[in-house]
Structure formats: structure tokens, C-alpha cells
Amino acid sequence: MKQMTPEEQRLFEELYRSNDRKVEILHSLARMGGMITLTFLLPFALEKREEIRKAALAAIHQIMSRLRKQHVISLDQYIRRLTPYSNRNQLAAWHELLPEDIRAFPIHDESDLSFIGICSFHRNGYVREAAIEALLKQITGAEIPFLLIRLNDWQPKIRYLAFKACKLRFRPNYVKYFLDSIFLLKHLSAYYNREKFTDFLEEIEAMFRHPDNRDVLRSGFRSKDPVVRRFCFDLAINLHDIDQDEVIAEALIQKDALIRLQTVRHMCKQVENDRLRRWLDRIRCDVFPPIRQLALQAYVDHFPEEATDALLAALLDGHKSIREMARFYLKEKKIDFAAYYREKLVGTEEQVIPIAIVGVGETGVKADDQLVLLFLRHENERIQRAAVKALSMLNPEDHIEVFIRALQTNKRSASREARQILVDRVVLHHADMLWEMIEKDVGLHVKKNILFLFSRINKADSISLLLRACVVQEKEIRDEAILYVEHWLQGYNRRFYLRLKDEQREKISDILGKVREFLPEDIADTVESLLAKR
């Protein structure tokens, strides 16, 4: 659970001290607070002074309205575990809450209802029972999440009261509130085991499926809660009395890739070919690779006469698995894939070139490395990165120095790609070349990548290189080098052990003497004690 920020802690300290700014502070906490903040606001909702009590109740409700249903479950578990000794001074009023206080608490608006709902999370079972009795009398629908959570209460009477209250709300005007709490219903089905809720859940699902509730189901397509949206689309796509094209069109414009994916999966399995064909061109252009892969498979399975053109186009897909899939289905066509990709390197759109370069790397021969080398200095970052990647697939061992030089490019992703290739290949005799680069006026990203490679050289030599880097000009690099040294020292005798040779010991000692003033005292002392061991 996310802890309070320093700003929230400062406001709380002032809240307990100040008598003049309490309302203003409560408004500030309402805007920035999370679950922990909400917990410490509960005592102020029991204040006798009306203006403070109303401000606290409004703050609690504002925070609750931002929480997703899964976070409400976490809040319930957190509050129930608060003992009378938890933050005794600040939470005394909450710990001492009695059932009589709940019964006497008037519920005039949503803020009051949210507070009573949170009281149903109280550690005291009598307080929880009184809160459920109060919620039972409410008819706004905002009480439903709290009732669903209490269906798994360890007190049978509370479970019965919550169940009774939910059953009374099995009416058309409550369907949208049950839909908003679909995460809690799924949680009830998966994890609640004190009672069997099979019949209960089947009745709720029947409400969602009822033809009279189609407008509620469609409203769920635009819910802010992704769990609600996914549930509504999953349910709607399987209903026969709803316009399937309408559901598909709405699903395919969703930003949530999982909704699009589950819709396309259904289409590929259940939808007749004529309807599927109308949507395939759109599906095959989706930004999410698994969806494009499903579209390609649909061409192969349902429209073999059109599959070849789709597979040829997929050879230039930006995702490796789709290119491999296309090559797999086209292998009977006896296509020279390497030649196909080589042709695309010349006189083609710039956005295709990076894919063609990687394609050469995936299908070409060792001699193609000379073709790929031409693109290492290209201005386009994607092309440059693709060239580094393709070279590592074609002939990495003959181009270690090329990869090292590629580190210093101002294209961050290309530099990072070179670093990843060098991780398991860089050795001590490359250190001088790397050190020359770290002393040049290159980007910080380059120097950070070189530090990472220093840390991956064998342990006996990496410590001297990392110590040496603690005196470079840039403070950010010095700080990162110190962190690497600290990590090395923490791993010694835990993750690795080595016996230093005399020449290695002398080298480290000499470097330590030069950089000691830049190191924290405890790190320098630890290195010295390590050198003293024989």
C-alpha cells in the first residue's frame, strides 16, 4: 500500500497542531490523499465541531471516489487489521467507536454514506453489524460495494445481513450499481469461501443478460473502470439479441488492447466468414501484435485464396513473431527471404528499411554483414538500431569493436542495443577502448552504458574500472559509479568470491589512493579491508 508523501505528512502534523486551518488542510488532503491518508482522516469525521466533521467527511468521500474496487478490498483488509494500539494517539476516536455511535450517525448525503461504509470495515464486529444495518436502509446504490465485501465476513450474522441486503436490491434500478462492482463480484466468486454464492452470482449474471438491461450493458462500454469495460464487451459479444457489428465496432476503437484482443479471438472462432472478412483489413493493421497475428492466422484458416498476399505483407511487419509466422506459411512458395529483404533496402520507404535490415539479420548469411554496416551511421535512430541488431545476428564475433564504437552514438536506443550485445562479449582487453570513450565529450547515456559494461567484466578487474570512474567530470556518472562499487562490495562473499592476485591488489590500491576523496568513507574503508585480506 502506497505510503503518505512527505507533503501529506507535513499537512497531518500541522492538522494536529493547528486550530485555525483544519478545514483548509482537510481540503488539501482530499485532493492529494490515498488510502493511508483516508485512514488518518477517520477520527476527524467523528469531530463534534460541524465544519471540521463535514470537511473530513467530504475528504474521505473524495478519496473513496478515486479508489478502484480492488483498492477498496485492500482498504477493508488494512482497516480491519488496525489494533487498538495502532497509532493510538491519532486514531483513538476510531478505535473507541461504538455501535451506538453508528446508529446515531445521520446519513444525509454520499459523504455520510461513504463513512458508514468504511465503518463496516471496523475491527469490532458489533460496529460492522451496526454499519451494515445502517447501509441496509439506504437505497442510492452507493452502498452495494460495502455490502458485497461483507458477504465474506467471519461473523455469520453479518454475512446474512449483507446477503439479505444484496438480495433486496435484485431489481432493475440497481443493475448499473452491481455492474460498477463487477470486480467485487468476480472476487466473490474466486476467493470467498465461507459461503457458497453460486446461485447468488447466477442471478446477478441473469440480470446482466436480461434484454431489458441492454442500455446498462452498453453504458459499461464507456466505463472508467477497465474491469467493467472488459466484462461488458465479453458479455455483449456472446449475446445473440444484440447487434454484433455494433459491439465489434465499439470494441475495436477501445484503447484497451485486451478488449480488442478478446473481441478478435471471439470473431475468429465464432463469427461467420462473411462478417469476419469485413473486419479483417482493419484488424490486421492493429497496433497490438497479438491481434495482427490472429488476423494473419484467420487469413490462413478461413481465406486461403487471399492468404498469400497477407503473408507477403506480413514479411515486413514490425514484430518478429509475425514475420516468422509469415515465413513459416510461405516456405512452400520457395521464396528467397534474404533476397526479398535485401531488395527492400534500396529505393523503399524509410519506415520499411529498419524492418528489412532486421529481416536480413534473421534470414541472411554471414557475408550480409557488409551490407548492414552501411546503415550504422544513418541519421534515423530506428535504422541505426536495426543495423546494430542485425549485425549481432549475422556476425557478432568479428565486429566487437564496431559495437563498442556504436555505443557512442547520440541515438539512445542504438547505444542501448549495442550495450546489450556487448554484455556477454566484452572482456578486459576492451577496457582501454571503453575508457577512452568515457573520457570523451559523449552523452551521459553513453557513459552509463559503459559503466554497466565495466560492471559485467570479470569481478577482479571490474572493481578497479568502477573505482577509476568515480572521478570522472560529471557528477551523475560519479554517483552511479559509486553505486556500482557499493553493489560490488555487497556481493563479495555473498554472490561471488575471488582471490585477488598481487598485481590486481596493487592496481586497486593505487586507484583507491587517487579516488578516495571522492568516495564515501565507509566504502573506502571496506575496499581497504578487502585489500588487507590474503
Side-chain angles (χ1 to χ4, degrees):
M1 186 177 290
K2 188 177 180 181
Q3 298 299 312
M4 283 194 287
T5 64
E7 176 64 13
E8 288 175 277
Q9 291 174 349
R10 184 190 67 76
L11 286 172
F12 265 112
E13 289 173 6
E14 186 178 354
L15 184 64
Y16 289 117
R17 290 195 312 265
S18 171
N19 287 319
D20 301 327
R21 294 187 62 243
K22 285 188 184 293
V23 173
E24 181 185 342
I25 294 170
L26 287 168
H27 289 324
S28 298
L29 289 168
R31 290 191 297 272
M32 67 177 69
M35 283 190 283
I36 298 292
T37 304
L38 184 151
T39 304
F40 284 93
L41 290 175
L42 294 172
F44 293 95
L46 299 165
E47 272 274 347
K48 293 181 180 179
R49 285 171 288 182
E50 185 178 3
E51 68 277 9
I52 295 176
R53 184 175 69 254
K54 286 188 174 181
L57 288 168
I60 290 168
H61 178 66
Q62 191 171 334
I63 295 172
M64 279 294 293
S65 65
R66 291 200 298 266
L67 298 182
R68 290 184 177 179
K69 296 300 186 289
Q70 50 266 52
H71 297 149
V72 178
I73 294 173
S74 301
L75 180 65
D76 166 51
Q77 294 172 347
Y78 177 76
I79 290 179
R80 280 191 291 107
R81 290 170 184 161
L82 291 174
T83 70
Y85 304 100
S86 304
N87 300 98
R88 189 182 183 94
N89 293 333
Q90 297 95 333
L91 298 178
W94 173 257
H95 293 316
E96 295 165 6
L97 190 64
L98 297 172
E100 292 76 18
D101 300 325
I102 301 296
R103 295 186 182 103
F105 194 95
I107 301 179
H108 298 302
D109 53 29
E110 290 184 345
S111 298
D112 298 330
L113 193 148
S114 289
F115 176 70
I116 293 298
I118 294 171
C119 290
S120 71
F121 302 162
H122 200 279
R123 188 169 181 271
N124 186 317
Y126 295 109
V127 172
R128 294 199 307 279
E129 182 180 338
I132 292 298
E133 288 173 349
L135 292 173
L136 206 157
K137 299 172 186 176
Q138 301 305 305
I139 57 171
T140 66
E143 71 277 8
I144 285 178
F146 304 108
L147 298 173
L148 291 173
I149 289 174
R150 289 276 64 78
L151 285 173
N152 196 44
D153 198 279
W154 61 89
Q155 291 294 337
K157 184 176 181 181
I158 297 176
R159 293 201 300 273
Y160 171 73
L161 287 172
F163 180 76
K164 176 184 174 182
C166 287
K167 290 284 284 186
L168 289 172
R169 286 158 177 77
F170 279 11
R171 291 181 290 185
N173 55 321
Y174 281 97
V175 174
K176 63 180 179 180
Y177 299 110
F178 279 109
L179 184 60
D180 287 340
S181 297
I182 195 65
F183 181 88
L184 299 177
L185 291 167
K186 288 177 175 290
H187 193 265
L188 177 70
S189 172
Y191 300 107
Y192 288 8
N193 50 31
R194 289 190 172 95
E195 302 281 355
K196 296 295 183 184
F197 293 105
T198 306
D199 294 341
F200 176 83
L201 293 169
E202 286 177 354
E203 286 187 66
I204 293 177
E205 186 172 344
M207 283 199 307
F208 294 147
R209 291 179 174 276
H210 197 281
D212 292 344
N213 295 320
R214 290 292 175 265
D215 289 341
V216 175
L217 190 63
R218 288 188 180 93
S219 70
F221 294 167
R222 293 171 291 281
S223 171
K224 293 181 180 179
D225 188 338
V227 179
V228 174
R229 292 198 306 273
R230 291 168 187 174
F231 173 82
C232 290
F233 278 107
D234 190 40
L235 182 61
I237 200 70
N238 288 287
L239 294 175
H240 299 295
D241 60 343
I242 194 169
D243 186 345
Q244 292 291 300
D245 284 329
E246 176 197 347
V247 176
I248 292 169
E250 189 73 34
L252 293 181
I253 63 172
Q254 292 288 315
K255 292 182 180 179
D256 188 337
L258 190 58
I259 291 174
R260 304 198 306 276
L261 181 62
Q262 71 184 18
T263 303
V264 173
R265 278 176 178 162
H266 173 85
M267 292 168 64
C268 292
K269 290 180 181 178
Q270 306 292 336
V271 173
E272 61 275 11
N273 284 358
D274 288 342
R275 176 175 286 161
L276 181 60
R277 180 183 271 106
R278 292 203 299 270
W279 294 103
L280 266 183
D281 283 343
R282 182 170 176 179
I283 295 169
R284 66 190 284 195
C285 298
D286 197 280
V287 296
F288 192 42
I291 294 177
R292 299 201 302 275
Q293 196 163 4
L294 282 173
L296 196 59
Q297 190 67 55
Y299 273 110
V300 173
D301 294 341
H302 299 279
F303 311 105
E305 69 283 357
E306 302 172 31
T308 300
D309 290 341
L311 290 167
L312 286 171
L315 288 174
L316 293 173
D317 192 277
H319 200 268
K320 181 180 179 181
S321 66
I322 299 177
R323 295 194 299 273
E324 289 176 341
M325 180 180 175
R327 292 196 292 264
F328 173 79
Y329 283 113
L330 287 170
K331 62 184 178 182
E332 295 180 357
K333 303 289 185 182
K334 308 298 182 184
I335 296 173
D336 185 343
F337 296 115
Y340 174 84
Y341 286 121
R342 289 186 202 109
E343 289 174 7
K344 295 296 179 181
L345 294 178
V346 182
T348 188
E349 297 175 2
E350 193 169 87
Q351 63 190 30
V352 174
I353 293 176
I355 303 168
I357 291 171
V358 175
V360 170
E362 291 167 347
T363 61
V365 295
K366 193 173 183 178
D368 286 323
D369 61 351
Q370 299 305 310
L371 187 61
V372 171
L373 282 170
L374 300 175
F375 293 93
L376 276 177
R377 296 186 179 278
H378 201 282
E379 284 301 310
N380 186 301
E381 184 168 355
R382 289 184 65 229
I383 291 176
Q384 199 175 119
R385 181 186 176 188
V388 174
K389 190 172 187 176
L391 200 60
S392 72
M393 291 185 274
L394 291 168
N395 187 12
E397 302 306 327
D398 290 347
H399 296 289
I400 300 298
E401 292 189 1
V402 173
F403 295 132
I404 291 176
R405 285 195 295 273
L407 281 172
Q408 58 190 319
T409 177
N410 61 351
K411 313 298 185 186
R412 290 174 179 268
S413 62
S415 179
R416 186 170 59 249
E417 188 71 40
R419 186 197 75 178
Q420 291 305 111
I421 295 164
L422 290 167
V423 161
D424 298 319
R425 294 182 171 92
V426 68
V427 291
L428 183 61
H429 78 264
H430 299 128
D432 289 341
M433 189 175 180
L434 290 169
W435 191 257
E436 285 178 13
M437 287 169 53
I438 211 170
E439 290 181 325
K440 290 181 181 178
D441 184 20
V442 293
L444 287 178
H445 68 280
V446 177
K447 298 189 178 185
K448 288 180 179 181
N449 288 337
I450 293 172
L451 280 182
F452 178 78
L453 293 175
F454 281 164
S455 73
R456 300 302 292 264
I457 293 174
N458 73 81
K459 296 297 182 183
D461 296 310
S462 68
I463 185 63
S464 59
L465 291 166
L466 293 170
L467 282 169
R468 189 178 172 188
C470 292
V471 295
V472 296
Q473 184 177 359
E474 297 86 355
K475 184 180 184 302
E476 189 174 342
I477 303 302
R478 292 200 304 271
D479 291 343
E480 190 154 333
I482 290 170
L483 287 175
Y484 275 116
V485 171
E486 188 175 11
H487 183 73
W488 190 99
L489 294 171
Q490 289 171 350
Y492 182 78
N493 264 355
R494 291 188 179 93
R495 295 185 299 273
F496 67 89
Y497 174 76
L498 57 87
R499 189 182 297 276
L500 293 172
K501 298 176 183 178
D502 288 342
E503 59 269 25
Q504 291 172 330
R505 198 182 304 275
E506 290 175 8
K507 183 178 181 181
I508 295 170
S509 179
D510 181 55
I511 293 173
L512 180 63
K514 297 175 182 176
V515 306
R516 187 182 183 102
E517 63 181 287
F518 296 92
L519 294 174
E521 189 174 348
D522 59 330
I523 291 180
D525 292 343
T526 304
V527 175
E528 274 192 347
S529 66
L530 175 64
L531 294 173
K533 294 179 181 178
R534 295 287 178 177

